[in-house]
């Protein structure tokens, strides 16, 4: 069977003919051929002629006062054109992505290792690096606050001029004391997850140059061009017409490229241009990027959960503490999402949860794929398995008795209105042959002295798009050229996900033309209006609605012309296969391109702006009660592992993943998202960890920060697509970009517990941690 046939087989349910022309059919990514042929132009490919290099002088301390900066020796270095400190910033010294708490260049204090203190601008990279060593910064080291629980104490040193607790987020549902009084069993555990890096393959990079009219154009690698544009305008102290930001082809994002460092790198290059009047290029080394990029938050989660003897949950009390590092970034929003989801996708009548986002002198944590959900679900799903073990029932059984169903109330008392979770749960248990595998592995483990096998399950619900995290809107510009080709442009970005292909599919579906007739143009702040951030898996759901709005406007204008030509009402027209016909009768039709030519001749405007904004969400910040999200994606993941009890090595052999995508717009894209996210989540479970020692990142390279390669990938990932349409997404689509990275930590950890008979409640599950757990369990048995 060919790979193409295999893909079609795995998505047979979606590939079936139905009411759609293109949606749900096999469509190649719009950039697939270019990518294979090496055509994408990354920022580094666009640098031409003479230019200057810009590089930051970075702090070797995690916490210190800056007593003085002497740049005189560096300025004497041949080839050095400028050294820029905070005093030289013409506008606002603010590079916080949302909260203005973070300077672009430190003023009187550094708060984390690697914080930028000055910029050196020169004619060659070696020259600049030598001059950096000549910038004399006098530091006075301060005590390093590296533990969030220490930072929460009243007498702890203040990281900023504010309390170290950034946010205290609460959920209060029912009566927690009453709930625990009804419990026959109570389980209490503490769970810990590590700092992790999104690690996009391409590091931060920007190229800026002056235009003849005085405007500065900046080409860069980023997720959110307008966020970068707005900050750079303020940093330079210029008018909005004086800066232009273009997103070049971007080699990965995963969250960090939506936070602070894309602002930094663009501002570095633009400041150099403003200072010198010459083109400037800035790029992070891998060590710089891994040190200063925003991280996945390290969490400590304490759960106390009560259930009846038949496995019904009655009470759940949680404390979540997220280490957001030295600056807030998106930490206040990450803790909100994590706390909203802290009980997992289960109905619990009595919930009490406290979520804390805390400042420390560790490196910044912010947006990383999943945005607090992987940590929350890891703890909740291990807690469910711990309850099942104490009750002596199967992990599947306890979930079946408590999952969110239509009519169920979440921890925030939001009523669930679709059966997506039930369907995913049933399909994954059946496809993975859960009960058979569990019996087989338990029998094997009784006789195998070294290699143990296990199977684990985890479920999720994931609030879609921004919800309480911001205004959830998008704009998409669409125009039809005279030759009938269609051009789509938006501020939403492509950085490897393939999500923009969904916009092409939606536009092609509504206009009834092949997807090959539609092309995307790169985001450019001078050509399009803001579309909001490309985060939270918003592109297909929210951007898709804006694209649909634009395409519908164009279809309406063309339909008026076609109706006059064909002698019918616009409502009778069918747009399909590049033909506009009466009732689908091609004998009474006109070619799409011919129709466009006629509309253009008549002066019909075929350039429109589509817009969509999601309904506002409402919840009570004092109790957390309400409806924080307009819709939810549901999912279930079964992982099968082998554990070598002599080395502690965990090998993931197989994953079976079922996700409710609402409406599958692009099946091939969904397959890629599921497989890629599953492998990335595997790395989070087993190997990836940013290690701080007294606030200093000690493993900033790929020698020390270990990501999974093809050899660590499971032998098989079985994807299952479920469609339970959502209420706001284009054609019922639900968010999917982040979702597959959420469950692997939990599912793999539960599988390891099944294999070795002991829960490991801290990630990553490195061999030494697994081996230690095995040896401790053996000692207890003696």
């Amino acid at each position: 069977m060919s790979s193409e046939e295999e893909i079609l087989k795995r998505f047979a349910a979606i590939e079936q003919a139905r009411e759609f022309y293109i949606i749900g059919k096999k469509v190649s990514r719009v950039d697939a051929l270019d990518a294979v042929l090496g055509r994408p132009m990354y920022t580094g490919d666009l640098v031409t002629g003479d230019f200057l290099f810009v590089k930051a002088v970075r702090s070797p301390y995690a916490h210190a006062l800056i007593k003085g900066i002497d740049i005189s020796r560096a300025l004497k270095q041949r080839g050095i054109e400028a050294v820029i400190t905070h005093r030289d910033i013409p506008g606002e010294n603010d590079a916080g992505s949302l909260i203005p708490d973070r300077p672009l260049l430190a003023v009187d204090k550094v708060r984390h290792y690697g914080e930028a203190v000055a910029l050196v601008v020169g004619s060659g990279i070696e020259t600049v690096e030598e001059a950096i060593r000549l910038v004399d910064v006098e530091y006075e080291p301060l005590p390093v606050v590296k533990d969030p629980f220490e930072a929460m104490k009243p007498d702890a040193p203040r990281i900023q001029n504010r309390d170290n607790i950034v946010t205290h987020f609460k959920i209060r549902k029912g009566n927690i004391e009453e709930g625990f009084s009804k419990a026959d069993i109570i389980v209490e555990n503490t769970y810990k997850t590590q700092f992790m890096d999104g690690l996009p393959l391409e590091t931060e990079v920007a190229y800026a140059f002056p235009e003849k009219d005085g405007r500065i154009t900046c080409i860069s690698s980023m997720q959110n061009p307008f966020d970068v544009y707005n900050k750079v305008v303020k940093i330079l102290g210029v008018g909005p017409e004086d800066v232009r930001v273009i997103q070049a082809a971007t080699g990965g994002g995963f969250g960090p490229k939506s936070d602070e460092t894309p602002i930094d790198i663009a501002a570095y290059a633009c400041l150099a241009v403003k200072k010198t009047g010459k083109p400037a290029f800035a790029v992070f080394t891998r060590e710089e990027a891994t040190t200063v990029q925003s991280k996945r938050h390290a969490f400590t989660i304490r759960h106390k959960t009560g259930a009846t003897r038949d496995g019904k949950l009655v009470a759940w009390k949680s404390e979540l503490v997220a280490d957001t590092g030295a600056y807030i970034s998106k930490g206040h929003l990450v803790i909100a999402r994590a706390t909203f989801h802290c009980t997992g996708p289960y109905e619990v009548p009595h919930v009490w949860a406290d979520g804390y986002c805390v400042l420390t002198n560790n490196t910044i944590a912010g947006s990383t794929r999943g945005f607090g959900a992987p940590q929350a679900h890891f703890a909740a799903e291990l807690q469910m398995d711990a309850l099942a073990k104490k009750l002596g029932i199967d992990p599947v059984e306890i979930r079946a008795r408590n999952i969110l169903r239509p009519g169920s109330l979440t921890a925030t008392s939001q009523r669930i209105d679709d059966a997506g979770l039930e369907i995913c749960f049933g399909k994954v248990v059946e496809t993975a042959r859960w009960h058979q595998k569990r019996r087989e592995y338990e029998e094997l483990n009784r006789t195998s002295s070294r290699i143990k096998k296990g199977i684990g399950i985890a479920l999720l619900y994931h609030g879609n798009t921004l919800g309480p995290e911001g205004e959830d809107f998008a704009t998409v510009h669409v125009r039809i050229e005279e030759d009938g080709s269609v051009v789509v442009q938006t501020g939403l970005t492509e950085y490897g996900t393939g999500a923009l292909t969904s916009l092409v599919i939606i536009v092609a579906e509504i206009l009834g033309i092949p997807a090959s007739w539609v092309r995307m143009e790169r985001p450019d702040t001078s050509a399009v209006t803001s579309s909001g951030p490309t985060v939270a898996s918003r592109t297909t759901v929210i951007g898709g609605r804006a694209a649909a709005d634009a395409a519908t406007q164009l279809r309406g204008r063309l339909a008026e012309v076609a109706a006059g030509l064909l002698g019918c009402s616009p409502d009778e027209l069918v747009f399909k296969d590049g033909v506009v016909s009466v009732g689908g009768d091609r004998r009474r039709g006109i070619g799409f391109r011919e129709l466009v030519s006629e509309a253009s001749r008549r002066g019909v405007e075929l350039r429109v702006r589509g817009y969509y904004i999601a309904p506002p969400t409402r919840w009570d910040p004092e109790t957390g009660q309400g409806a924080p999200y307009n819709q939810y994606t549901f999912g279930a993941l079964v992982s099968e592992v082998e554990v070598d009890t002599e080395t502690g090595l965990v090998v993931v052999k197989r994953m079976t993943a079922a996700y409710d995508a609402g409406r599958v717009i692009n099946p091939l894209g969904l397959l890629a998202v599921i497989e890629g996210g599953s492998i990335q989540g595997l790395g989070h479970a087993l190997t990836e960890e940013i290690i701080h020692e007294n606030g200093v990142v000690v493993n900033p390279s790929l020698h020390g920060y270990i990501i999974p390669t093809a050899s660590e990938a499971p032998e098989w990932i079985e994807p299952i697509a479920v469609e339970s349409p959502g209420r706001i997404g284009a054609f019922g689509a639900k968010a999917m970009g982040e979702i597959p990275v959420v469950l692997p930590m939990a599912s793999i950890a539960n599988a390891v517990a099944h294999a070795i008979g002991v829960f490991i409640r801290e990630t990553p599950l490195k061999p030494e941690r697994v081996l230690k757990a095995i040896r401790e369990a053996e000692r207890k048995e003696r």
Side-chain angles (χ1 to χ4, degrees):
M1 182 180 294
S2 69
S3 59
E4 181 175 342
E5 290 171 334
E6 182 60 37
I7 289 170
L8 290 173
K9 174 178 175 292
R10 290 156 75 178
F11 279 87
I14 299 169
E15 291 286 337
Q16 291 172 357
R18 53 185 179 184
E19 68 269 30
F20 296 114
Y21 166 51
I22 294 177
I23 285 174
K25 304 302 191 293
K26 186 167 72 71
V27 177
S28 297
R29 277 180 56 151
V30 293
D31 57 351
L33 183 60
D34 283 347
V36 170
L37 296 177
R39 291 174 180 165
M41 300 295 286
Y42 295 88
T43 304
D45 299 321
L46 298 169
V47 180
T48 59
D50 294 329
F51 60 91
L52 301 174
F53 283 93
V54 192
K55 201 167 177 61
V57 178
R58 299 195 177 276
S59 168
Y61 297 98
H63 199 197
L65 295 176
I66 299 174
K67 307 299 288 184
I69 304 176
D70 184 352
I71 63 175
S72 59
R73 290 200 303 149
L75 284 173
K76 293 175 182 176
Q77 180 83 354
R78 183 173 180 175
I80 295 302
E81 301 243 352
V83 178
I84 299 170
T85 69
H86 69 91
R87 296 184 184 88
D88 304 303
I89 293 175
E92 300 176 18
N93 185 17
D94 167 30
S97 59
L98 285 181
I99 307 296
D101 69 330
R102 176 181 178 269
L104 178 71
L105 298 175
V107 179
D108 55 4
K109 189 179 185 182
V110 290
R111 296 176 171 87
H112 69 84
Y113 174 70
E115 184 162 4
V117 175
L119 303 176
V120 177
V121 185
S123 58
I125 188 63
E126 295 85 1
T127 302
V128 168
E129 289 176 344
E130 176 62 29
I132 284 174
R133 291 188 282 272
L134 299 177
V135 175
D136 295 317
V137 184
E138 182 184 353
Y139 297 99
E140 181 181 309
L142 295 171
V144 175
V145 183
K146 51 186 180 291
D147 180 272
F149 290 96
E150 291 297 318
M152 292 170 74
K153 293 179 178 179
D155 59 347
R158 291 289 177 261
I159 309 302
Q160 300 184 21
N161 296 324
R162 53 159 299 149
D163 193 274
N164 289 338
I165 299 176
V166 173
T167 304
H168 175 198
F169 196 88
K170 295 176 283 189
I171 293 180
R172 306 288 189 259
K173 178 187 179 185
N175 184 314
I176 196 68
E177 290 81 10
E178 178 186 335
F180 281 118
S181 72
K182 296 178 179 178
D184 296 312
I185 68 158
I186 294 174
V187 171
E188 296 186 64
N189 289 303
T190 298
Y191 302 91
K192 294 182 179 181
T193 64
Q194 73 276 32
F195 280 108
M196 290 175 263
D197 197 279
L199 208 81
L201 183 62
E202 178 196 34
T203 64
E204 285 78 354
V205 56
Y207 173 54
F209 53 89
E211 303 275 13
K212 291 180 180 179
D213 60 2
R215 181 171 63 174
I216 295 175
T217 292
C218 181
I219 303 170
S220 189
S221 171
M222 70 193 86
Q223 290 180 226
N224 302 328
F226 278 91
D227 286 0
V228 172
Y229 163 80
N230 290 329
K231 284 291 182 179
V232 169
V233 165
K234 290 181 179 180
I235 289 166
L236 296 183
V238 298
E241 71 282 357
D242 295 323
V243 175
R244 177 190 186 191
V245 172
I246 302 171
Q247 185 223 19
T250 294
F254 304 113
K257 286 191 183 174
S258 70
D259 287 353
E260 286 74 23
T261 47
I263 297 169
D264 293 348
I265 201 76
Y268 294 175
C270 289
L271 279 170
V273 172
K274 189 168 179 63
K275 184 82 171 176
T276 67
K278 300 176 181 179
F281 179 69
V283 60
F284 285 177
T285 64
R286 175 60 62 192
E287 289 74 14
E288 275 184 295
T290 307
T291 297
V292 301
Q293 277 175 348
S294 59
K295 306 290 180 286
R296 186 183 300 286
H297 289 76
F299 266 73
T300 299
I301 301 176
R302 296 166 176 161
H303 283 324
K304 177 182 177 182
T305 310
T308 61
R309 60 177 51 89
D310 63 352
K312 286 291 289 182
L313 299 173
V314 292
W316 197 306
K317 188 173 184 178
S318 300
E319 180 189 65
L320 302 88
V321 176
D323 184 344
T324 202
Y327 295 104
I328 297 171
S329 186
K330 308 289 181 20
H332 58 304
L333 303 178
V334 170
I335 194 63
R337 180 175 283 271
T339 309
F340 277 137
H341 294 81
C342 71
T343 61
Y346 306 105
E347 185 163 25
V348 189
H350 306 284
V351 179
W352 181 291
D354 294 286
Y356 300 94
C357 174
V358 184
L359 293 167
T360 68
N361 289 123
N362 293 318
T363 48
I364 304 170
S367 303
T368 308
R369 189 180 185 184
F371 210 74
Q375 301 96 313
H377 283 84
F378 168 74
E381 291 300 305
L382 265 69
Q383 188 77 346
M384 289 298 286
D385 268 35
L387 283 164
K389 186 172 183 177
K390 190 162 185 177
L391 288 165
I393 62 176
D394 191 286
V396 160
E397 185 57 34
I398 194 169
R399 287 170 171 81
R401 295 175 189 178
N402 293 285
I403 63 168
L404 295 172
R405 297 178 170 87
S408 295
L409 299 180
T410 67
T412 69
S413 297
Q414 182 170 359
R415 191 172 299 278
I416 295 299
D417 57 8
D418 72 67
L421 182 59
E422 281 187 296
I423 299 169
C424 290
F425 180 44
K427 284 183 176 293
V428 81
V429 170
E430 178 185 5
T431 304
R433 295 183 296 138
W434 170 271
H435 297 290
Q436 177 185 338
K437 291 280 186 71
R438 198 157 174 96
R439 288 192 301 269
E440 288 177 0
Y441 293 165
E442 288 170 2
E443 179 62 31
L444 179 145
N445 293 342
R446 281 192 285 269
T447 58
S448 175
S449 60
R450 178 170 179 173
I451 302 299
K452 307 288 186 180
K453 292 187 177 183
I455 185 169
I457 191 169
L459 311 183
L460 70 75
Y461 76 129
H462 190 90
N464 276 198
T465 66
L466 294 179
E469 297 155 18
E471 195 175 37
D472 218 352
F473 74 96
T475 60
V476 174
H477 298 254
V478 182
R479 69 179 186 271
I480 305 177
E481 306 280 44
E482 289 187 3
D483 63 358
S485 63
V486 178
V487 179
V488 179
Q489 192 174 24
T490 177
L492 297 168
T493 58
E494 174 62 64
Y495 42 89
T497 66
L500 292 186
T501 298
S502 294
L503 302 191
V504 168
I505 291 171
I506 289 166
V507 169
E509 175 74 37
I510 291 171
L511 295 179
I513 59 176
S516 59
W517 291 12
V518 184
R519 75 174 190 273
M520 294 291 308
E521 288 190 347
R522 298 220 66 80
D524 181 339
T525 58
S526 69
V528 297
T529 52
S530 176
S531 299
T534 313
V535 298
S537 308
R538 291 179 351 106
T539 300
T540 300
V541 177
I542 305 298
R545 286 292 297 266
D549 177 50
T552 300
Q553 292 179 53
L554 291 169
R555 177 174 169 140
R557 295 176 187 184
L558 292 172
E560 289 293 334
V561 176
L565 293 172
L566 299 175
C568 66
S569 73
D571 293 342
E572 296 178 80
L573 294 172
V574 174
F575 285 64
K576 188 175 182 180
D577 293 327
V579 175
V580 180
S581 62
V582 181
D585 182 357
R586 296 172 70 93
R587 293 169 297 179
R588 294 184 61 197
I590 183 172
F592 180 84
R593 287 170 169 158
E594 183 183 350
L595 176 60
V596 167
S597 179
E598 177 61 22
S600 298
R601 189 184 68 78
R602 296 185 183 191
V604 176
E605 178 60 60
L606 297 179
R607 179 190 298 263
V608 300
R609 170 180 173 267
Y611 178 79
Y612 176 74
I613 185 167
T617 59
R618 294 180 174 85
W619 53 279
D620 182 349
E622 287 303 311
T623 65
Q625 298 301 286
Y629 301 99
N630 282 301
Q631 65 183 29
Y632 289 88
T633 299
F634 301 103
L637 176 67
V638 169
S639 298
E640 298 171 49
V641 304
E642 288 184 357
V643 182
D644 187 327
T645 59
E646 291 188 10
T647 65
L649 181 67
V650 176
V651 177
V652 180
K653 305 297 288 185
R654 186 182 183 94
M655 288 176 158
T656 306
Y659 294 106
D660 167 23
R663 176 75 70 192
V664 179
I665 304 295
N666 177 11
L668 293 182
L670 177 60
L671 173 64
V673 163
I674 291 175
E675 292 185 342
S678 298
I679 295 170
Q680 185 176 17
L682 180 152
H684 298 166
L686 299 182
T687 62
E688 297 186 38
E689 181 179 21
I690 290 290
I691 301 171
H692 294 89
E693 289 185 3
N694 205 36
V696 175
V697 177
V698 298
N699 62 330
S701 73
L702 291 176
H703 293 290
Y705 188 86
I706 309 301
I707 61 172
T709 65
S711 62
E712 284 79 43
E715 293 175 358
W716 188 255
I717 299 173
E718 181 72 31
I720 303 167
V722 170
E723 292 186 312
S724 183
R727 62 173 64 181
I728 64 166
F731 295 94
K734 293 181 178 179
M736 272 304 303
E738 297 175 278
I739 312 305
V741 82
V742 173
L743 289 180
M745 279 202 305
S747 177
I748 291 168
N750 278 336
V752 170
H754 181 228
I756 66 175
V758 59
F759 289 102
I760 303 174
R761 299 185 177 92
E762 183 174 0
T763 53
L765 305 182
K766 292 183 176 180
E768 56 268 31
R769 182 167 284 147
V770 174
L771 198 58
K772 180 180 178 182
I774 292 170
R775 298 295 176 256
E776 287 179 354
E778 289 173 347
R779 282 194 293 270
K780 289 179 181 178
E781 289 179 2
R782 298 192 197 109

